[in-house]
Amino acid sequence: MQIDTIARVERGHHHTLWNRVKGYQPVLLDKLQRKREIFEHWYHAAAYLPISDFRYCQIKMQQMIDNEKDWHEQAKKIKAEVLARITAEGPLQSKDFEDKKHSAGQWWDWKPAKRALELLFLQGKLMVERRVGFQKVFDLTERVLPSHIDTSMPTQSEYAQYLIKSYLKANGLGNETEFGYLRTGMQKYIKQQVEQLLKKGEIIKVKLGDNHCYTDKKSLSLLDKRMPKAQVKLLSPFDNLVIQRKRLSKLFGYNYQLECYLKEADRKFGYFCLPILWGDEFVGRLDAKADRKNKILLIYNLYIEYPPIDTQSFVDSLKSALDAYAEFNQCLSWQLQKCDHKEISYYLLKS
């Protein structure tokens, strides 16, 4: 689950869990990290992973060791000193390296020290022991990682099989390109493992429109279940359902881009638009911001691109979703400032 660094509304990793886990509170994720049931490292991006997945992150760790030459020179020069301080003093944050003298009497330069911490983290020498606020607290890996965790280096074939199975467990179906999303050099191994898993009957090839993809028996059995009553879900831009934009477009016909990385003049929908899921259809997006001082969830823009046939049911569900999302953001109310759909805008503002 990707770690969201943007705090315009509640961060995406908490938002994603809140949509799936009844009664979820952000403190629960912190507790899981302290109990060593999850850890942080690089998946397709900075992410939380089950602690049992640690060995598969060693592929990335070794790549960072092998490619250290591409890292910042100053960070490489002082990484041994940074590591020595944590070894001697225990868990430290990057701010602990601001304008502090070490034993040799030299002054720390915060930016190289921060980069050195990140390099040591990506190389597997350090782990995030916990977070204080949103700031990482680093400690030696041997002091954080539970002793029972398998740390043997996986083969490329084992890693490819892990990517396929974990993807299907999370997403239900996918193809070779999606299994290897943002993983350079893995396509050959993924294709080999797809063939092996097909032969063993562990995955199944299915046709989706004019294309083929893969699933497993557990996911396929979900087709026999009745769909629940349609509800509105406001998704994080970093939600696993939408993070692969090409897949999202192919499966749902929904084109989405997070526009906070664009210049203001180039934005079409807004700085931080949340996709709106209505049942099994994406129907629009809304640009939101939590005004924490005044405890109001501001809806700058609400765009309805694929209006539902049953407008009243949709609006009732959208109201409930906005009420719940405002509360999740520690806001007492929400305020709609603009909506491009007159009928929906009327019903929303009516009450």
Side-chain angles (χ1 to χ4, degrees):
M1 183 168 52
Q2 184 167 335
I3 298 172
D4 179 10
T5 60
I6 302 171
R8 186 178 175 95
V9 288
E10 183 59 85
R11 296 184 193 273
H13 43 281
H14 294 307
H15 185 174
T16 299
L17 280 171
W18 174 76
N19 262 325
R20 290 162 171 77
V21 182
K22 188 175 181 180
Y24 175 80
Q25 296 294 327
V27 68
L28 297 178
L29 195 61
D30 299 329
K31 287 181 177 179
L32 287 174
Q33 188 168 31
R34 290 172 184 263
K35 289 170 66 178
R36 307 295 183 248
E37 293 185 29
I38 61 173
F39 75 107
E40 296 183 33
H41 213 267
W42 198 265
Y43 194 71
H44 63 278
Y48 288 107
L49 297 101
I51 196 73
S52 57
D53 286 10
F54 180 84
R55 71 181 294 246
Y56 298 104
C57 286
Q58 292 183 136
I59 297 279
K60 178 68 176 180
M61 294 172 189
Q62 188 59 51
Q63 288 174 348
M64 291 306 301
I65 292 170
D66 295 341
N67 297 306
E68 184 178 303
K69 64 180 185 298
D70 298 327
W71 204 256
H72 306 277
E73 284 300 321
Q74 286 180 304
K76 288 188 289 183
K77 288 177 182 178
I78 66 167
K79 74 170 190 171
E81 296 171 88
V82 170
L83 195 60
R85 269 198 66 184
I86 291 178
T87 301
E89 299 177 32
L92 295 174
Q93 297 175 251
S94 62
K95 71 176 185 179
D96 295 317
F97 294 88
E98 292 178 20
D99 295 334
K100 295 285 182 73
K101 288 184 178 181
H102 61 38
S103 57
Q106 297 172 321
W107 287 95
W108 287 102
D109 183 346
W110 175 72
K111 286 186 178 179
K114 182 178 166 94
R115 289 168 179 160
L117 284 168
E118 291 296 331
L119 176 58
L120 290 163
F121 165 71
L122 290 171
Q123 291 180 334
K125 307 291 178 57
L126 297 177
M127 290 182 72
V128 178
E129 190 260 348
R130 68 184 187 280
R131 284 186 181 245
V132 176
F134 193 63
Q135 300 305 308
K136 299 173 185 174
V137 180
F138 295 96
D139 199 2
L140 301 179
T141 294
E142 57 262 36
R143 296 200 294 229
V144 177
L145 188 67
S147 59
H148 68 275
I149 297 301
D150 184 358
T151 57
S152 60
M153 179 67 75
T155 64
Q156 296 283 24
S157 295
E158 286 178 313
Y159 183 49
Q161 192 167 133
Y162 160 75
L163 292 175
I164 296 165
K165 289 185 174 181
S166 60
Y167 188 92
L168 291 180
K169 183 179 179 181
N171 297 288
L173 77 165
N175 58 37
E176 292 99 330
T177 300
E178 292 160 355
F179 297 150
Y181 179 62
L182 298 181
R183 286 172 180 81
T184 305
M186 286 304 299
Q187 283 303 317
K188 177 178 73 172
Y189 301 102
I190 286 171
K191 287 183 178 180
Q192 290 173 353
Q193 288 307 304
V194 163
E195 292 301 318
Q196 290 294 319
L197 292 170
L198 281 171
K199 288 178 182 177
K200 293 178 182 178
E202 293 186 40
I203 63 173
I204 302 160
K205 189 174 184 178
V206 294
K207 193 171 183 182
L208 183 67
D210 295 328
N211 303 303
H212 73 266
C213 56
Y214 304 95
T215 187
D216 54 30
K217 291 179 181 178
K218 186 176 180 180
S219 297
L220 206 58
S221 69
L222 295 175
L223 292 176
D224 297 327
K225 291 193 174 185
R226 289 185 63 185
M227 284 287 291
K229 182 181 177 181
Q231 288 184 312
V232 168
K233 293 288 185 181
L234 308 175
L235 302 186
S236 165
F238 303 103
D239 192 287
N240 291 355
L241 183 58
V242 302
I243 200 65
Q244 290 196 32
R245 312 303 193 209
K246 288 183 180 179
R247 179 180 191 268
L248 180 65
S249 177
K250 180 179 68 177
L251 291 180
F252 295 96
Y254 182 72
N255 295 310
Y256 176 75
Q257 181 180 19
L258 180 56
E259 296 183 346
C260 63
Y261 303 118
L262 300 178
K263 294 178 181 179
E264 187 173 357
D266 296 331
R267 292 175 194 148
K268 181 179 179 181
F269 297 108
Y271 181 86
F272 203 72
C273 274
L274 310 180
I276 303 174
L277 183 66
W278 165 241
D280 60 357
E281 295 181 298
F282 285 89
V283 297
R285 63 200 83 198
L286 61 86
D287 184 24
K289 179 182 179 181
D291 180 350
R292 296 176 175 92
K293 181 179 179 181
N294 296 304
K295 295 189 178 299
I296 300 173
L297 179 70
L298 300 172
I299 312 300
Y300 291 130
N301 289 299
L302 170 62
Y303 297 92
I304 305 298
E305 297 148 74
Y306 307 99
I309 295 173
D310 189 344
T311 303
Q312 188 60 61
S313 292
F314 171 74
V315 170
D316 289 344
S317 186
L318 178 58
K319 283 182 179 178
S320 296
L322 288 170
D323 289 344
Y325 189 61
E327 183 180 357
F328 177 60
N329 280 276
Q330 291 83 51
C331 293
L332 299 176
S333 62
W334 51 269
Q335 183 183 98
L336 178 63
Q337 297 188 355
K338 181 182 175 183
C339 176
D340 70 329
H341 192 285
K342 290 184 179 180
E343 186 180 12
I344 289 173
S345 178
Y346 170 77
Y347 282 122
L348 276 176
L349 296 174
K350 188 178 179 181
S351 59

